[in-house]
Amino acid sequence: MNISLYIYFGLGAIIVILFILLTIKRPKKSTPNNSNIAENLRDEKQKSSIILNAIEDGVILIDKEGTIQLFNPGAEKITGWSVEDARNLSYQSIIKLVNDKNEPYEPENDPIARIFKNPVDTIRDNNAFLVTKNSKQIPVSMSISPLLDKNKQITGAVAIIRDVTEERIEEKQRTEFISTASHEMRTPVAAIEGYLALALNDKVSTVDTRARQYLEKAHDSTQHLGKLFQDLLTSAKAEDGRLTSHPLITELGDYLEQLCNDLRFAADKKGLALEFNIGSSQNIDATQTSAGQKVIKPLYYVFVDQDRMREVITNLFDNAVKYTEQGKITIGLTGDQHVAQIYIKDTGVGIPSEDIPHLFQKFYRVDNSATRTIGGTGLGLYICRKIVELYQGRIWVESDTGKGSTFFINLPRISSEAATIQKRQEAANININPITSLTTPMIQ
Ligand code: ADP
């Protein structure tokens, strides 16, 4: 074969391959026509409106001027306003919120106003009551999400409102049951504890060593049960606002010093040091010592029930002792012009960061070797939070695992002048000014 034949064959092969490639059917790219798009959009719109109409929760779309643009039938049912009436009205005339004391929400607490002011994240509010068109108040749970454009500017907000009347009724029934049950059970448990204490008392009974060990264990468990019932009762009362409280003007420095002396024994028993510190402040007062010298000592006045605050500090101190093997516990007092801050610091096991957000919830206990061996109810910190909130305060914790924890309590501070006037009134048993005139707003 000469070279020209090779060339002919080669060219022929290339032509055949090209022919095959060109004739193979490629999958057609779907190129939607205009009528398809319109149909799809209609479908999507229909689906959205079916969902919005079927949802029981109220869904309200508010534009950045605060005008209602969308109002589903769920919102109509909850608020009592018809879709036609509500649309194009300012949200403030439809979503009227009050707190549990029937006081209108201040703009700084209004979750919708807050989202427009600071549109970072969804805001939830589970404490509001909504005033309906017929002036009925219904408990609601709300979540407000911001709508942001690509420059992260707010263009509107979506409010989801749920009527939680049923849930609140059930919650109330549960709380009442717990309250009654724990109240009824406390009495027999106290009697058992009393008899066990008598059986363990050498002057009253004679028991052998083995029986003593069993009785001691039974006594400890009964004490634990008694504490559980007591805590259950207190938390049930805190939930439905029946926690008794008789607040008085209290100077925290003297109060805590006295309390520390009472608590010292428990720390000593475990070989832990107890320190009491009063921090400095710009707002200080001069006081006379018994020797007549002038001592500069900051006075931190607050308006609290001293027995309730004792419960809080004792609980935090007991925890510090329970969860600390060695080192010291410091109870401290500091603050500024507006706030009195108490802290309880320990050198104990610490609290893992993932547990910290849940720590003040009911029954929450950190699951580690320390808590598995140390008894507790998981109600103590919940009760502490409820009590501190009674006085418009705040409680939180900072902790380093393995190094220790510090619990902080911020309370609204009362100036020395206001405290003196108030104390005079208390002494003269005159009608005391409402608390709100003395205290600053809830500390955040
Ligand atoms: P408990 O009765 O279990 O102590 P609390 O509500 O008082 O209940 O505390 C909840 C949990 O918080 C405890 O179980 C413990 O895990 C953790 N905790 C509280 N105080 C401290 C502390 N000072 N150090 C370490 N962990 C603590």
Side-chain angles (χ1 to χ4, degrees):
M1 238 186 333
N2 65 25
I3 197 133
S4 55
L5 268 177
Y6 278 119
I7 293 169
Y8 283 135
F9 275 124
L11 278 175
I14 290 169
I15 289 166
V16 171
I17 291 167
L18 276 177
F19 180 78
I20 292 169
L21 282 177
L22 287 173
T23 50
I24 284 175
K25 272 200 178 167
R26 285 197 218 131
K28 258 194 190 168
K29 254 194 188 168
S30 65
T31 44
N33 59 29
N34 284 347
S35 72
N36 266 350
I37 295 173
E39 240 171 60
N40 283 348
L41 279 177
R42 243 197 330 271
D43 267 8
E44 288 305 318
K45 227 176 145 188
Q46 254 180 0
K47 272 191 228 159
S48 309
S49 92
I50 289 171
I51 294 171
L52 278 175
N53 290 345
I55 280 178
E56 258 200 29
D57 292 348
V59 181
I60 302 171
L61 173 67
I62 300 159
D63 68 17
K64 71 170 188 249
E65 271 74 47
T67 309
I68 294 177
Q69 294 298 341
L70 188 147
F71 200 77
N72 78 334
E76 186 175 85
K77 207 167 143 209
I78 294 172
T79 61
W81 290 88
S82 71
V83 175
E84 294 72 35
D85 283 348
R87 210 179 287 143
N88 296 326
L89 281 188
S90 156
Y91 82 86
Q92 278 133 331
S93 40
I94 305 292
I95 310 171
K96 290 183 192 146
L97 301 176
V98 294
N99 62 20
D100 56 353
K101 295 183 196 83
N102 197 13
E103 298 156 347
Y105 262 41
E106 297 291 336
E108 61 268 23
N109 294 332
D110 177 342
I112 300 175
R114 274 167 59 206
I115 208 100
F116 280 107
K117 215 167 153 203
N118 190 16
V120 266
D121 243 329
T122 297
I123 294 182
R124 294 194 171 76
D125 186 316
N126 296 319
N127 302 316
F129 287 78
L130 186 122
V131 183
T132 68
K133 192 180 177 193
N134 299 327
S135 308
K136 212 174 122 196
Q137 274 179 31
I138 50 168
V140 286
S141 125
M142 302 176 68
S143 87
I144 324 289
S145 306
L147 299 173
L148 304 173
D149 62 15
K150 53 181 187 301
N151 301 322
K152 302 262 178 252
Q153 295 300 309
I154 187 156
T155 56
V158 176
I160 314 242
I161 305 180
R162 171 170 296 182
D163 177 353
V164 289
T165 310
E166 289 293 316
E167 284 95 322
R168 289 287 156 82
I169 293 171
E170 281 167 19
E171 244 169 59
K172 196 159 179 272
Q173 284 169 343
R174 257 200 315 270
T175 311
E176 272 169 15
F177 171 74
I178 292 176
S179 169
T180 318
S182 43
H183 185 76
E184 292 302 319
M185 284 189 267
R186 238 166 20 131
T187 321
V189 169
I192 299 170
E193 195 190 325
Y195 284 118
L196 286 170
L198 280 177
L200 283 165
N201 187 336
D202 292 336
K203 292 184 190 125
V204 187
S205 330
T206 319
V207 283
D208 64 27
T209 326
R210 216 173 202 194
R212 174 170 292 279
Q213 278 175 5
Y214 296 146
L215 286 174
E216 270 167 2
K217 284 199 173 116
H219 188 246
D220 286 353
S221 297
T222 323
Q223 259 184 341
H224 178 66
L225 199 61
K227 167 102 176 72
L228 177 63
F229 288 143
Q230 179 58 51
D231 283 356
L232 277 172
L233 192 62
T234 315
S235 66
K237 281 184 180 169
E239 256 159 61
D240 57 17
R242 283 185 298 121
L243 212 55
T244 51
S245 168
H246 304 288
L248 291 174
I249 293 291
T250 305
E251 202 288 295
L252 281 178
D254 283 347
Y255 172 79
L256 285 177
E257 199 166 0
Q258 178 61 47
L259 190 51
C260 278
N261 289 336
D262 298 345
L263 298 172
R264 193 169 297 280
F265 175 70
D268 283 350
K269 213 170 135 193
K270 209 175 168 186
L272 300 168
L274 175 61
E275 208 175 276
F276 175 57
N277 279 341
I278 299 191
S280 59
S281 154
Q282 295 143 350
N283 194 6
I284 49 179
D285 303 82
T287 49
Q288 295 283 127
T289 63
S290 49
Q293 300 153 299
K294 260 198 166 175
V295 171
I296 304 292
K297 177 181 156 204
L299 297 176
Y300 293 97
Y301 287 106
V302 290
F303 193 61
V304 294
D305 181 317
Q306 298 188 357
D307 292 335
R308 290 275 170 235
M309 272 323 282
R310 175 185 290 268
E311 266 179 76
V312 174
I313 311 290
T314 308
N315 204 322
L316 297 178
F317 171 81
D318 284 347
N319 278 349
V321 173
K322 267 202 299 193
Y323 301 109
T324 305
E325 280 317 308
Q326 56 184 13
K328 70 170 177 194
I329 296 166
T330 312
I331 297 186
L333 176 62
T334 176
D336 62 20
Q337 224 180 334
H338 306 289
V339 173
Q341 183 174 86
I342 304 169
Y343 58 87
I344 291 106
K345 185 174 182 328
D346 64 52
T347 52
V349 293
I351 301 161
S353 56
E354 63 269 26
D355 290 298
I356 288 182
H358 312 285
L359 218 58
F360 295 89
Q361 289 166 5
K362 244 197 292 184
F363 297 116
Y364 195 84
R365 300 198 76 212
V366 177
D367 185 17
N368 59 25
S369 53
T371 50
R372 257 174 257 134
T373 48
I374 300 168
T377 62
L379 281 168
L381 291 180
Y382 171 75
I383 293 172
C384 287
R385 173 167 70 84
K386 285 290 184 184
I387 295 176
V388 169
E389 285 174 359
L390 272 184
Y391 309 116
Q392 286 78 43
R394 187 164 86 90
I395 181 168
W396 76 100
V397 64
E398 285 168 14
S399 186
D400 215 345
T401 338
K403 292 194 177 144
S405 315
T406 309
F407 283 81
F408 295 92
I409 297 169
N410 274 8
L411 290 166
R413 185 176 180 184
I414 295 166
S415 72
S416 296
E417 300 74 46
T420 314
I421 297 167
Q422 181 75 2
K423 273 204 317 204
R424 246 182 253 139
Q425 285 180 337
E426 277 171 10
N429 211 6
I430 299 175
N431 269 349
I432 295 170
N433 281 344
I435 308 170
T436 45
S437 66
L438 283 169
T439 55
T440 45
M442 170 102 169
I443 293 172
Q444 290 307 313

